[in-house]
Amino acid sequence: MIALSELHDQLARSRRAGWQVVRGRVLEGLPRGAAELPSELGAGAVLARIDREETAPWSRPLLERVELGRAFRIGDGSGEALVRVGEGGHVHPDVELRLDAPFLELPAEQDDDGDLRRTTYLRVVRTGDEVYVWGRPALRYSEDAGYRDSALTVEFSPRSVMQIYDAAAWAQADAWRALPWYRKLSVLVRNR
């Protein structure tokens, strides 16, 4: 993991940084051109995963997943980065959200007969939450730069594959990486 100020300096020298992981807190403010998310998600929402499950008697549940997001800034005390996740309020297909924080179960809906039941599960990343971004950053000219601010900013965008983890998902991935290879193999063989 690299600090944002170090990443900025590395990008300024070579214009390429390869794959990087950065950690930071979601900062307040809406970057220029960022779409607002629906107000039903609550104040400060920047990313949301909505899982909807439809169940009917004697049938398999139907699952639908919708991922919503807007551009946001993260900061780690040494610098800031802009994270673009898509356009129009939807997450780009090349952006993978790994959200493992506890979900909020919304009240279930039932149709008139009482046979069909719809349950909605919601996970949201809000302003102030810690996130980890894995991707290929670039230096871009900032549209929001003021008179005394640096015009170049680190930007992650879905030009190539990008993964965004919340703190719970990163802890789980970190625990998996800490296992020796033979323990991983035994888990994979046992669970197949």
Side-chain angles (χ1 to χ4, degrees):
M1 198 167 335
I2 188 169
L4 288 171
S5 62
E6 293 174 33
L7 181 59
H8 186 278
D9 295 342
Q10 182 181 352
L11 285 169
R13 284 192 305 273
S14 66
R15 293 285 181 198
R16 297 188 68 202
W19 297 98
Q20 298 292 333
V21 176
V22 295
R23 175 182 61 92
R25 295 213 173 268
V26 178
L27 302 176
E28 289 188 32
L30 191 66
R32 185 180 295 176
E36 283 285 340
L37 293 181
S39 60
E40 292 84 17
L41 296 176
V46 294
L47 296 170
R49 172 182 287 152
I50 302 166
D51 293 315
R52 189 173 200 160
E53 180 182 66
E54 263 185 30
T55 54
W58 310 105
S59 66
R60 288 184 170 191
L62 298 173
L63 302 173
E64 177 188 6
R65 174 171 284 172
V66 177
E67 295 178 332
L68 303 174
R70 66 165 176 85
F72 59 95
R73 293 188 181 284
I74 61 171
D76 67 353
S78 69
E80 293 183 9
L82 177 64
V83 181
R84 296 192 186 276
V85 294
E87 293 182 11
H90 290 279
V91 174
H92 191 276
D94 288 340
V95 176
E96 185 174 340
L97 293 183
R98 302 226 175 159
L99 306 179
D100 282 347
F103 58 82
L104 173 67
E105 184 175 344
L106 301 178
E109 304 169 12
Q110 286 191 326
D111 65 347
D112 298 335
D113 302 344
D115 291 340
L116 189 63
R117 179 183 167 96
R118 293 182 191 96
T119 307
T120 304
Y121 304 98
L122 176 67
R123 286 188 169 104
V124 179
V125 174
R126 299 183 190 285
T127 302
D129 290 350
E130 186 176 53
V131 295
Y132 295 79
V133 181
W134 179 79
R136 298 184 81 153
L139 274 183
R140 301 273 187 245
Y141 285 101
S142 174
E143 299 134 0
D144 300 331
Y147 172 68
R148 296 188 185 271
D149 297 331
S150 172
L152 292 174
T153 185
V154 176
E155 178 182 301
F156 287 88
S157 64
R159 292 178 313 244
S160 60
V161 177
M162 181 170 58
Q163 294 179 1
I164 301 174
Y165 296 80
D166 63 359
W170 185 260
Q172 185 177 7
D174 211 23
W176 177 255
R177 279 191 293 276
L179 284 176
W181 68 269
Y182 54 87
R183 292 291 306 265
K184 291 178 186 175
L185 183 62
S186 68
V187 168
L188 292 173
V189 169
R190 183 179 27 186
N191 291 339
R192 62 179 178 129

